[in-house]
Amino acid sequence: MAEQHIASAFDRDLEAIQAKIMKMGGLVEAAILDAAQSLDTRDEELAEKVRAGDKAIDALEEMINEDAARLIALRAPTAGDLRIVLSVMKISANLERIGDYAKNMAKRTSILSQMSQIAGSNAALRRMAREVNEMLKDALDSYIQRDVAKAQDVIARDADVDQMYNALFREFLTFMMEDPRNITACMHLHFMAKNTERMGDHVTSIAEQVVYLVTGDAPEDRPKQDVTSTDRTLAPS
Amino acid sequence: MAEQHIASAFDRDLEAIQAKIMKMGGLVEAAILDAAQSLDTRDEELAEKVRAGDKAIDALEEMINEDAARLIALRAPTAGDLRIVLSVMKISANLERIGDYAKNMAKRTSILSQMSQIAGSNAALRRMAREVNEMLKDALDSYIQRDVAKAQDVIARDADVDQMYNALFREFLTFMMEDPRNITACMHLHFMAKNTERMGDHVTSIAEQVVYLVTGDAPEDRPKQDVTSTDRTLAPS
């Protein structure tokens, strides 16, 4: 009877924390889309909103960490439950980092809006951001539903984001070599592309947490699909 | 008497975790220096060592998180002690991220060793890495000694790292504009510079944790010194 009581108190506390994770997820999803849109439409006000909004995301992570620690201290969860609480802390850390990347992207909107546009790049970045946003939605769904198949689908889709990044990297190199006046803009755009690619990595980490939680299998070492740091064909002859 | 016993058991457990933090710190410090050295001396073997060594750093973070959770569950620490345990988890997360940046830097060594050198940049990057390494040593010392003055000194020195990054960013732009054949190398070098600058941010976070732990004051919002994302003078006219 006492055990029953403790178990449901744990579940209730956990649910409250998970609600905060969902709230945080919603804010981060919006930040991703808004950051990419602010670039595409040169909307500095929207960019400023993303930058200012990161504080709320950081505050939620702080709260989730404290709630989780209190939950552990108060309920002394079993090994399995402890694993769930630790996964919540990891997921909120991933969300916080994705929010950071969105903020960093938004910072570059105003400087980029001073420069001539690089054909097609804003739309390509926005497509990438949209894909990461969809992945994040699905990753959080898979967490709530403990849906391993959905989580594995998210993990697989990260390769698409990496491909998009690789294509953009090559495009930016070409633009810069064609015309030195493109260099500064391309440096900033490249950062934004890399930030988006890193967001995809963190979404993948969330999905891997779900697989680990449900199956107990530690995520395998996944091959990195960002080949730009090692691909020798990118070295000029 | 019982309370005394609980307190010292907590302290003993905490010390064991802090020893792991110090071990992790040592590995990360070496990774920073080795990554920068591998670039400067074109030492691909050393770069590979840095990349492979990141696994040990990640494993330590995992262990520290689990130990910390177990400590909380077992000892149900008071608010003040709980704050210490949470700070340990944050510091290990910062160390893990610094290790990641070092790994990412080392990844670029082999592609960069295929390219013609950009005058002075390797040495400049190495100076930056050395400064971050010194800051990290001092940040971890300040943590162990609960030395607020030393922590605040670390926080102040991050501005120097940011200045070094800003200078390098401008230099890379110039090199790229002068000769398009420099573009690819400069893109990679710029990434390494940015990674080093981000390492400095994480070292600063560690120092801020120390200030928070000792004084209870949340770190103030510090002004970002990487001006390249917002400095309009970098926009070509």
PDB file of all heavy atoms in Angstrom, chain B residues 24-52:
ATOM      1  N   MET B  24      38.503  14.119 -15.450  1.00  0.00           N
ATOM      2  CA  MET B  24      37.903  14.570 -16.702  1.00  0.00           C
ATOM      3  C   MET B  24      38.551  15.876 -17.147  1.00  0.00           C
ATOM      4  O   MET B  24      38.879  16.054 -18.326  1.00  0.00           O
ATOM      5  CB  MET B  24      36.399  14.764 -16.452  1.00  0.00           C
ATOM      6  CG  MET B  24      35.547  14.787 -17.679  1.00  0.00           C
ATOM      7  SD  MET B  24      33.775  14.982 -17.230  1.00  0.00           S
ATOM      8  CE  MET B  24      33.123  15.354 -18.866  1.00  0.00           C
ATOM      9  N   GLY B  25      38.752  16.792 -16.185  1.00  0.00           N
ATOM     10  CA  GLY B  25      39.379  18.068 -16.501  1.00  0.00           C
ATOM     11  C   GLY B  25      40.774  17.878 -17.090  1.00  0.00           C
ATOM     12  O   GLY B  25      41.145  18.530 -18.072  1.00  0.00           O
ATOM     13  N   GLY B  26      41.526  16.954 -16.526  1.00  0.00           N
ATOM     14  CA  GLY B  26      42.870  16.678 -17.037  1.00  0.00           C
ATOM     15  C   GLY B  26      42.836  16.185 -18.476  1.00  0.00           C
ATOM     16  O   GLY B  26      43.623  16.634 -19.319  1.00  0.00           O
ATOM     17  N   LEU B  27      41.892  15.293 -18.766  1.00  0.00           N
ATOM     18  CA  LEU B  27      41.769  14.779 -20.135  1.00  0.00           C
ATOM     19  C   LEU B  27      41.383  15.893 -21.102  1.00  0.00           C
ATOM     20  O   LEU B  27      41.898  15.986 -22.218  1.00  0.00           O
ATOM     21  CB  LEU B  27      40.720  13.657 -20.199  1.00  0.00           C
ATOM     22  CG  LEU B  27      41.044  12.349 -19.463  1.00  0.00           C
ATOM     23  CD1 LEU B  27      39.891  11.362 -19.603  1.00  0.00           C
ATOM     24  CD2 LEU B  27      42.329  11.729 -20.022  1.00  0.00           C
ATOM     25  N   VAL B  28      40.462  16.751 -20.669  1.00  0.00           N
ATOM     26  CA  VAL B  28      39.997  17.833 -21.543  1.00  0.00           C
ATOM     27  C   VAL B  28      41.107  18.849 -21.786  1.00  0.00           C
ATOM     28  O   VAL B  28      41.310  19.318 -22.912  1.00  0.00           O
ATOM     29  CB  VAL B  28      38.735  18.510 -20.952  1.00  0.00           C
ATOM     30  CG1 VAL B  28      38.355  19.744 -21.747  1.00  0.00           C
ATOM     31  CG2 VAL B  28      37.572  17.523 -20.930  1.00  0.00           C
ATOM     32  N   GLU B  29      41.852  19.176 -20.720  1.00  0.00           N
ATOM     33  CA  GLU B  29      42.983  20.106 -20.886  1.00  0.00           C
ATOM     34  C   GLU B  29      43.970  19.574 -21.929  1.00  0.00           C
ATOM     35  O   GLU B  29      44.409  20.303 -22.821  1.00  0.00           O
ATOM     36  CB  GLU B  29      43.721  20.304 -19.549  1.00  0.00           C
ATOM     37  CG  GLU B  29      42.999  21.232 -18.590  1.00  0.00           C
ATOM     38  CD  GLU B  29      43.602  21.186 -17.182  1.00  0.00           C
ATOM     39  OE1 GLU B  29      44.768  20.771 -17.040  1.00  0.00           O
ATOM     40  OE2 GLU B  29      42.889  21.546 -16.220  1.00  0.00           O
ATOM     41  N   ALA B  30      44.287  18.286 -21.821  1.00  0.00           N
ATOM     42  CA  ALA B  30      45.221  17.691 -22.786  1.00  0.00           C
ATOM     43  C   ALA B  30      44.633  17.726 -24.195  1.00  0.00           C
ATOM     44  O   ALA B  30      45.337  18.001 -25.176  1.00  0.00           O
ATOM     45  CB  ALA B  30      45.544  16.263 -22.377  1.00  0.00           C
ATOM     46  N   ALA B  31      43.337  17.471 -24.313  1.00  0.00           N
ATOM     47  CA  ALA B  31      42.693  17.453 -25.634  1.00  0.00           C
ATOM     48  C   ALA B  31      42.777  18.816 -26.312  1.00  0.00           C
ATOM     49  O   ALA B  31      43.031  18.920 -27.517  1.00  0.00           O
ATOM     50  CB  ALA B  31      41.233  17.008 -25.506  1.00  0.00           C
ATOM     51  N   ILE B  32      42.592  19.879 -25.533  1.00  0.00           N
ATOM     52  CA  ILE B  32      42.665  21.240 -26.095  1.00  0.00           C
ATOM     53  C   ILE B  32      44.051  21.495 -26.677  1.00  0.00           C
ATOM     54  O   ILE B  32      44.199  21.919 -27.832  1.00  0.00           O
ATOM     55  CB  ILE B  32      42.374  22.305 -25.001  1.00  0.00           C
ATOM     56  CG1 ILE B  32      40.959  22.157 -24.448  1.00  0.00           C
ATOM     57  CG2 ILE B  32      42.578  23.711 -25.558  1.00  0.00           C
ATOM     58  CD1 ILE B  32      40.690  23.048 -23.231  1.00  0.00           C
ATOM     59  N   LEU B  33      45.077  21.234 -25.865  1.00  0.00           N
ATOM     60  CA  LEU B  33      46.450  21.505 -26.316  1.00  0.00           C
ATOM     61  C   LEU B  33      46.829  20.604 -27.485  1.00  0.00           C
ATOM     62  O   LEU B  33      47.435  21.059 -28.462  1.00  0.00           O
ATOM     63  CB  LEU B  33      47.432  21.306 -25.159  1.00  0.00           C
ATOM     64  CG  LEU B  33      47.342  22.323 -24.019  1.00  0.00           C
ATOM     65  CD1 LEU B  33      48.425  22.055 -22.987  1.00  0.00           C
ATOM     66  CD2 LEU B  33      47.467  23.757 -24.546  1.00  0.00           C
ATOM     67  N   ASP B  34      46.459  19.324 -27.386  1.00  0.00           N
ATOM     68  CA  ASP B  34      46.826  18.386 -28.452  1.00  0.00           C
ATOM     69  C   ASP B  34      46.141  18.738 -29.769  1.00  0.00           C
ATOM     70  O   ASP B  34      46.744  18.621 -30.847  1.00  0.00           O
ATOM     71  CB  ASP B  34      46.466  16.945 -28.058  1.00  0.00           C
ATOM     72  CG  ASP B  34      47.395  16.407 -26.972  1.00  0.00           C
ATOM     73  OD1 ASP B  34      48.421  17.067 -26.701  1.00  0.00           O
ATOM     74  OD2 ASP B  34      47.104  15.340 -26.406  1.00  0.00           O
ATOM     75  N   ALA B  35      44.889  19.162 -29.699  1.00  0.00           N
ATOM     76  CA  ALA B  35      44.171  19.515 -30.935  1.00  0.00           C
ATOM     77  C   ALA B  35      44.881  20.665 -31.636  1.00  0.00           C
ATOM     78  O   ALA B  35      45.109  20.627 -32.851  1.00  0.00           O
ATOM     79  CB  ALA B  35      42.718  19.879 -30.621  1.00  0.00           C
ATOM     80  N   ALA B  36      45.247  21.691 -30.872  1.00  0.00           N
ATOM     81  CA  ALA B  36      45.914  22.853 -31.470  1.00  0.00           C
ATOM     82  C   ALA B  36      47.317  22.487 -31.953  1.00  0.00           C
ATOM     83  O   ALA B  36      47.749  22.943 -33.012  1.00  0.00           O
ATOM     84  CB  ALA B  36      45.967  24.004 -30.463  1.00  0.00           C
ATOM     85  N   GLN B  37      47.992  21.641 -31.191  1.00  0.00           N
ATOM     86  CA  GLN B  37      49.343  21.251 -31.602  1.00  0.00           C
ATOM     87  C   GLN B  37      49.302  20.404 -32.874  1.00  0.00           C
ATOM     88  O   GLN B  37      50.147  20.556 -33.762  1.00  0.00           O
ATOM     89  CB  GLN B  37      50.040  20.482 -30.479  1.00  0.00           C
ATOM     90  CG  GLN B  37      51.509  20.220 -30.828  1.00  0.00           C
ATOM     91  CD  GLN B  37      52.200  19.308 -29.840  1.00  0.00           C
ATOM     92  OE1 GLN B  37      51.930  19.369 -28.638  1.00  0.00           O
ATOM     93  NE2 GLN B  37      53.102  18.470 -30.342  1.00  0.00           N
ATOM     94  N   SER B  38      48.324  19.513 -32.950  1.00  0.00           N
ATOM     95  CA  SER B  38      48.247  18.622 -34.121  1.00  0.00           C
ATOM     96  C   SER B  38      48.064  19.434 -35.402  1.00  0.00           C
ATOM     97  O   SER B  38      48.556  19.067 -36.461  1.00  0.00           O
ATOM     98  CB  SER B  38      47.115  17.609 -33.962  1.00  0.00           C
ATOM     99  OG  SER B  38      45.859  18.211 -34.177  1.00  0.00           O
ATOM    100  N   LEU B  39      47.360  20.563 -35.282  1.00  0.00           N
ATOM    101  CA  LEU B  39      47.211  21.442 -36.441  1.00  0.00           C
ATOM    102  C   LEU B  39      48.534  22.112 -36.783  1.00  0.00           C
ATOM    103  O   LEU B  39      48.950  22.142 -37.945  1.00  0.00           O
ATOM    104  CB  LEU B  39      46.160  22.518 -36.135  1.00  0.00           C
ATOM    105  CG  LEU B  39      46.052  23.627 -37.188  1.00  0.00           C
ATOM    106  CD1 LEU B  39      45.349  23.107 -38.431  1.00  0.00           C
ATOM    107  CD2 LEU B  39      45.322  24.842 -36.631  1.00  0.00           C
ATOM    108  N   ASP B  40      49.180  22.611 -35.753  1.00  0.00           N
ATOM    109  CA  ASP B  40      50.378  23.419 -35.961  1.00  0.00           C
ATOM    110  C   ASP B  40      51.521  22.576 -36.525  1.00  0.00           C
ATOM    111  O   ASP B  40      52.271  23.023 -37.391  1.00  0.00           O
ATOM    112  CB  ASP B  40      50.792  24.064 -34.628  1.00  0.00           C
ATOM    113  CG  ASP B  40      51.673  25.287 -34.832  1.00  0.00           C
ATOM    114  OD1 ASP B  40      51.793  25.744 -35.986  1.00  0.00           O
ATOM    115  OD2 ASP B  40      52.237  25.784 -33.838  1.00  0.00           O
ATOM    116  N   THR B  41      51.649  21.353 -36.032  1.00  0.00           N
ATOM    117  CA  THR B  41      52.758  20.502 -36.485  1.00  0.00           C
ATOM    118  C   THR B  41      52.309  19.495 -37.536  1.00  0.00           C
ATOM    119  O   THR B  41      53.067  18.608 -37.905  1.00  0.00           O
ATOM    120  CB  THR B  41      53.378  19.752 -35.282  1.00  0.00           C
ATOM    121  OG1 THR B  41      52.346  18.933 -34.696  1.00  0.00           O
ATOM    122  CG2 THR B  41      53.895  20.718 -34.230  1.00  0.00           C
ATOM    123  N   ARG B  42      51.039  19.635 -37.998  1.00  0.00           N
ATOM    124  CA  ARG B  42      50.482  18.710 -38.994  1.00  0.00           C
ATOM    125  C   ARG B  42      50.663  17.254 -38.560  1.00  0.00           C
ATOM    126  O   ARG B  42      51.058  16.389 -39.337  1.00  0.00           O
ATOM    127  CB  ARG B  42      51.139  18.929 -40.352  1.00  0.00           C
ATOM    128  CG  ARG B  42      50.969  20.368 -40.821  1.00  0.00           C
ATOM    129  CD  ARG B  42      51.425  20.567 -42.240  1.00  0.00           C
ATOM    130  NE  ARG B  42      50.892  21.839 -42.732  1.00  0.00           N
ATOM    131  CZ  ARG B  42      50.639  22.094 -44.005  1.00  0.00           C
ATOM    132  NH1 ARG B  42      50.830  21.167 -44.906  1.00  0.00           N
ATOM    133  NH2 ARG B  42      50.164  23.255 -44.377  1.00  0.00           N
ATOM    134  N   ASP B  43      50.336  17.001 -37.325  1.00  0.00           N
ATOM    135  CA  ASP B  43      50.553  15.680 -36.731  1.00  0.00           C
ATOM    136  C   ASP B  43      49.216  14.922 -36.718  1.00  0.00           C
ATOM    137  O   ASP B  43      48.420  15.045 -35.796  1.00  0.00           O
ATOM    138  CB  ASP B  43      51.100  15.872 -35.307  1.00  0.00           C
ATOM    139  CG  ASP B  43      51.462  14.549 -34.641  1.00  0.00           C
ATOM    140  OD1 ASP B  43      50.978  13.501 -35.102  1.00  0.00           O
ATOM    141  OD2 ASP B  43      52.231  14.582 -33.673  1.00  0.00           O
ATOM    142  N   GLU B  44      48.999  14.130 -37.765  1.00  0.00           N
ATOM    143  CA  GLU B  44      47.699  13.458 -37.887  1.00  0.00           C
ATOM    144  C   GLU B  44      47.499  12.384 -36.818  1.00  0.00           C
ATOM    145  O   GLU B  44      46.374  12.079 -36.436  1.00  0.00           O
ATOM    146  CB  GLU B  44      47.553  12.852 -39.285  1.00  0.00           C
ATOM    147  CG  GLU B  44      47.514  13.926 -40.357  1.00  0.00           C
ATOM    148  CD  GLU B  44      46.962  13.412 -41.683  1.00  0.00           C
ATOM    149  OE1 GLU B  44      46.141  12.484 -41.678  1.00  0.00           O
ATOM    150  OE2 GLU B  44      47.355  13.959 -42.726  1.00  0.00           O
ATOM    151  N   GLU B  45      48.610  11.813 -36.372  1.00  0.00           N
ATOM    152  CA  GLU B  45      48.509  10.777 -35.339  1.00  0.00           C
ATOM    153  C   GLU B  45      47.982  11.384 -34.032  1.00  0.00           C
ATOM    154  O   GLU B  45      47.125  10.814 -33.362  1.00  0.00           O
ATOM    155  CB  GLU B  45      49.890  10.163 -35.118  1.00  0.00           C
ATOM    156  CG  GLU B  45      49.859   8.674 -34.822  1.00  0.00           C
ATOM    157  CD  GLU B  45      51.275   8.104 -34.863  1.00  0.00           C
ATOM    158  OE1 GLU B  45      51.876   8.080 -35.965  1.00  0.00           O
ATOM    159  OE2 GLU B  45      51.778   7.734 -33.795  1.00  0.00           O
ATOM    160  N   LEU B  46      48.520  12.550 -33.705  1.00  0.00           N
ATOM    161  CA  LEU B  46      48.079  13.237 -32.489  1.00  0.00           C
ATOM    162  C   LEU B  46      46.602  13.629 -32.617  1.00  0.00           C
ATOM    163  O   LEU B  46      45.829  13.513 -31.661  1.00  0.00           O
ATOM    164  CB  LEU B  46      48.948  14.477 -32.251  1.00  0.00           C
ATOM    165  CG  LEU B  46      48.721  15.244 -30.945  1.00  0.00           C
ATOM    166  CD1 LEU B  46      48.978  14.353 -29.740  1.00  0.00           C
ATOM    167  CD2 LEU B  46      49.624  16.483 -30.872  1.00  0.00           C
ATOM    168  N   ALA B  47      46.218  14.079 -33.817  1.00  0.00           N
ATOM    169  CA  ALA B  47      44.813  14.441 -34.050  1.00  0.00           C
ATOM    170  C   ALA B  47      43.916  13.227 -33.831  1.00  0.00           C
ATOM    171  O   ALA B  47      42.845  13.315 -33.208  1.00  0.00           O
ATOM    172  CB  ALA B  47      44.633  14.991 -35.459  1.00  0.00           C
ATOM    173  N   GLU B  48      44.363  12.081 -34.320  1.00  0.00           N
ATOM    174  CA  GLU B  48      43.585  10.852 -34.165  1.00  0.00           C
ATOM    175  C   GLU B  48      43.468  10.483 -32.681  1.00  0.00           C
ATOM    176  O   GLU B  48      42.422  10.014 -32.220  1.00  0.00           O
ATOM    177  CB  GLU B  48      44.245   9.721 -34.967  1.00  0.00           C
ATOM    178  CG  GLU B  48      43.572   8.363 -34.856  1.00  0.00           C
ATOM    179  CD  GLU B  48      42.078   8.409 -35.132  1.00  0.00           C
ATOM    180  OE1 GLU B  48      41.664   9.174 -36.029  1.00  0.00           O
ATOM    181  OE2 GLU B  48      41.317   7.697 -34.427  1.00  0.00           O
ATOM    182  N   LYS B  49      44.527  10.740 -31.941  1.00  0.00           N
ATOM    183  CA  LYS B  49      44.511  10.462 -30.494  1.00  0.00           C
ATOM    184  C   LYS B  49      43.431  11.321 -29.814  1.00  0.00           C
ATOM    185  O   LYS B  49      42.705  10.844 -28.934  1.00  0.00           O
ATOM    186  CB  LYS B  49      45.894  10.772 -29.902  1.00  0.00           C
ATOM    187  CG  LYS B  49      46.116  10.186 -28.517  1.00  0.00           C
ATOM    188  CD  LYS B  49      47.413  10.722 -27.896  1.00  0.00           C
ATOM    189  CE  LYS B  49      47.125  11.470 -26.609  1.00  0.00           C
ATOM    190  NZ  LYS B  49      48.203  12.327 -26.119  1.00  0.00           N
ATOM    191  N   VAL B  50      43.344  12.586 -30.222  1.00  0.00           N
ATOM    192  CA  VAL B  50      42.342  13.475 -29.632  1.00  0.00           C
ATOM    193  C   VAL B  50      40.934  12.961 -29.952  1.00  0.00           C
ATOM    194  O   VAL B  50      40.057  12.906 -29.090  1.00  0.00           O
ATOM    195  CB  VAL B  50      42.505  14.919 -30.155  1.00  0.00           C
ATOM    196  CG1 VAL B  50      41.372  15.810 -29.648  1.00  0.00           C
ATOM    197  CG2 VAL B  50      43.846  15.498 -29.734  1.00  0.00           C
ATOM    198  N   ARG B  51      40.746  12.576 -31.219  1.00  0.00           N
ATOM    199  CA  ARG B  51      39.417  12.101 -31.627  1.00  0.00           C
ATOM    200  C   ARG B  51      39.024  10.856 -30.855  1.00  0.00           C
ATOM    201  O   ARG B  51      37.899  10.727 -30.374  1.00  0.00           O
ATOM    202  CB  ARG B  51      39.395  11.817 -33.132  1.00  0.00           C
ATOM    203  CG  ARG B  51      39.574  13.066 -33.957  1.00  0.00           C
ATOM    204  CD  ARG B  51      39.846  12.762 -35.399  1.00  0.00           C
ATOM    205  NE  ARG B  51      38.716  12.077 -36.033  1.00  0.00           N
ATOM    206  CZ  ARG B  51      38.641  11.855 -37.347  1.00  0.00           C
ATOM    207  NH1 ARG B  51      39.608  12.253 -38.141  1.00  0.00           N
ATOM    208  NH2 ARG B  51      37.603  11.247 -37.855  1.00  0.00           N
ATOM    209  N   ALA B  52      39.960   9.912 -30.745  1.00  0.00           N
ATOM    210  CA  ALA B  52      39.665   8.661 -30.050  1.00  0.00           C
ATOM    211  C   ALA B  52      39.471   8.898 -28.548  1.00  0.00           C
ATOM    212  O   ALA B  52      38.641   8.258 -27.902  1.00  0.00           O
ATOM    213  CB  ALA B  52      40.783   7.662 -30.296  1.00  0.00           C
TER     214      ALA B  52
END
